[in-house]
Amino acid sequence: MRTQVLIIGGGATGTGLVRDLALRGVDCILVDTRDLNAGASGANHGLLHSGGRYAKSDPHSAQECKEEGDILKKLAPHVIEDTGGFFLAVEGDDEKYIADFEGLCRNATIDVAKVDPKDAMEMEPAISRKTIACYSVPDANIDPFRLGLDNVSQAVSLGSRFMRRTRLAGFDMENGTITAARMVNMRTGEEFKIVADQYVNAGGAWAGEVAAMAGAEIGMLYAKGTLLITHDRLTKRVINRLRPPGDGDILVPGGTVSILGTTSVRVDSLDNIQPTIAEVDVNVEQGMPMVPELATTRYIRAYAGVRPLLTGTADSDRNASRGVALMGHEREGLKNFISITGGKLTTYRLMAEMAGDLVCERLGVSASCLTRTEPLPAADPWMWSDPGHAARGWLEKHDQGDVLLCECEMVPKSGVDRMLGTFDMSKDKPGLKALGRRSRVGKGSCQGTFCSLRLTSYLYDKDYLHGDEGVRNLREFLEERWKGQRTILWGMAESQAELQEAFYCGLMGIELGR
């Protein structure tokens, strides 16, 4: 298999880069061991930072966030809800930090305005009655899944290729030049090679491991962050605690829910990243002074991701730089290997532009980056990943017989058909997890209890599943759901989890067998 550029890693940066290069006329292959946004790009708040969070600790990153946020709001409005945000302080918070905040934001060119606490409480009834200071900033939420899907869809329409469940096994090298990447199809076990002119490491938290295969070294730290999803949306705006970054100090509304986070726990391994009860508890305890309702609201799931941080950039993980790191690896004598890491979801486009510029310089391509000015097209099959759209779209217009397969999030049969149409069934048969990653299936209050069985039955009817494939699909899908439910089980959530367990384990015996 031959291409100009092989991009390793299907997170926000990798998907942004494949679109960037495709728009410049460069042929690319994007690969990921699992799927799009399977790492930190799909396990975060979905916060489009105004930059206020970094105004004191990292002013350069704060300004980058502000500039990139403005670009994305203009060019990709369909993946963004421009909620605005509050930074609020409560009784007992650091008064010097409060007093300095407005000036620090202005220095980073962030639009900030002081809000009277009484007005803030009228605008956001859920915030604390003990609010003593409040500032508005241009925060927003962004759907990282729809963003990645739309980036890849446009790149594929321009000739690029995306290969999920494709693992990098190593590089063939000769005199400092990578001559081929050795790949493994994770579904079939088939081994094959991809030959490229340039190889880009966009592996996120796995960037150090990818670099090591090429004989390069990237010093990285892993900081696990745990987040919680509430059953209902608690606020209109993003709510930030006006204090140095800490646990449970950001609440991001998205669609019909809110997301609370996040902790920061150093981990040595990327294996078995799961939220813990202790991390859930600390998020709630730290969030309560900001939004008291967090103490009693129902949570439907917790999840965890890993921030890829570069070593030596700060005295603590919280203060580590969130800036972009682009490495050409010339010092290691490598001629066609590039790594792009660091940064954050808000600055993914800038990271892709920087990597794309270096790739094109090495290839002798003179085309300039277009993602700074060209709107991101909305691809039709992914409309079912938009929280809120499914209900509106199905109620407004649907054909007779177009039944709902996911009732919580209102994903119909026709929506599943459109998603299935994007896969090459002869090479890449999708399972429930892949469909869930491309839609709202399984993300509602039942957490897959009913829709996973309906979807499995439908895939059998469509002749996409055979033999025991459906049982294996169900097990993988539900294990992913249960992983996030175990830590938040109390009250109604515990009752529903017991129903789910009785349904699949007691009735169907899904925990038995292979």
Side-chain angles (χ1 to χ4, degrees), residues 442-463:
K443 296 183 174 69
S445 56
C446 89
Q447 286 291 291
T449 300
F450 302 109
C451 57
S452 57
L453 189 59
R454 285 197 202 100
L455 191 53
T456 301
S457 300
Y458 185 64
L459 293 177
Y460 273 114
D461 289 344
K462 297 278 288 184
D463 206 28

Side-chain angles (χ1 to χ4, degrees), residues 45 53 86-91 93 120-121 124-134 234-235 237-244 246-253 258-262 282-295 299:
H45 272 106
R53 172 65 45 181
F86 278 169
F87 273 79
L88 65 86
V90 297
E91 293 175 4
D93 283 340
M121 285 182 265
E124 291 290 354
I127 65 174
S128 172
R129 302 296 99 178
K130 296 181 179 178
T131 297
I132 59 171
C134 182
L234 303 183
T235 62
R237 298 167 180 77
V238 176
I239 305 297
N240 306 266
R241 184 84 173 267
L242 184 49
R243 67 177 187 184
D247 300 327
D249 59 359
I250 305 177
L251 184 69
V252 179
S258 292
I259 298 177
L260 172 68
T262 176
V282 76
N283 267 327
V284 175
E285 290 167 3
Q286 292 296 313
M288 284 161 42
M290 183 174 70
V291 177
E293 191 176 342
L294 290 168
Y299 297 93

Side-chain angles (χ1 to χ4, degrees), residues 294-468:
L294 290 168
T296 55
T297 194
R298 179 186 170 191
Y299 297 93
I300 57 174
R301 192 165 177 261
Y303 59 96
V306 174
R307 302 182 192 90
L309 304 174
L310 296 176
T311 57
T313 59
D315 56 356
S316 72
D317 294 354
R318 285 285 188 194
N319 293 328
S321 172
R322 306 307 301 278
V324 180
L326 176 65
M327 291 162 268
H329 297 290
E330 293 88 351
R331 290 183 180 176
E332 292 102 327
L334 297 172
K335 299 172 183 174
N336 60 345
F337 184 65
I338 293 168
S339 293
I340 179 80
T341 188
K344 58 187 72 62
L345 178 62
T346 302
T347 56
Y348 92 96
R349 193 214 61 81
L350 175 63
M351 296 173 71
E353 179 181 346
M354 292 168 63
D357 285 347
L358 181 54
V359 167
C360 287
E361 179 184 329
R362 288 185 174 182
L363 292 176
V365 174
S366 59
S368 299
C369 172
L370 294 176
T371 62
R372 187 176 285 271
T373 54
E374 292 288 324
L376 175 67
D380 178 73
W382 317 131
M383 69 172 68
W384 306 104
S385 71
D386 179 5
H389 171 85
R392 292 194 303 272
W394 190 82
L395 285 173
E396 288 173 0
K397 181 182 179 182
H398 68 275
D399 296 330
Q400 190 173 11
D402 188 13
V403 298
L404 292 173
L405 296 180
C406 174
E407 291 181 339
C408 295
E409 296 292 326
M410 301 191 72
V411 179
K413 191 169 63 173
S414 61
V416 173
D417 288 340
R418 290 183 197 175
M419 288 185 274
L420 290 172
T422 65
F423 291 88
D424 181 347
M425 293 297 177
S426 64
K427 299 178 181 177
D428 185 19
K429 189 186 295 185
L432 298 187
K433 287 177 70 174
L435 294 173
R437 194 170 293 281
R438 288 159 175 77
S439 70
R440 298 290 301 168
V441 167
K443 296 183 174 69
S445 56
C446 89
Q447 286 291 291
T449 300
F450 302 109
C451 57
S452 57
L453 189 59
R454 285 197 202 100
L455 191 53
T456 301
S457 300
Y458 185 64
L459 293 177
Y460 273 114
D461 289 344
K462 297 278 288 184
D463 206 28
Y464 290 139
L465 294 179
H466 304 92
D468 66 353

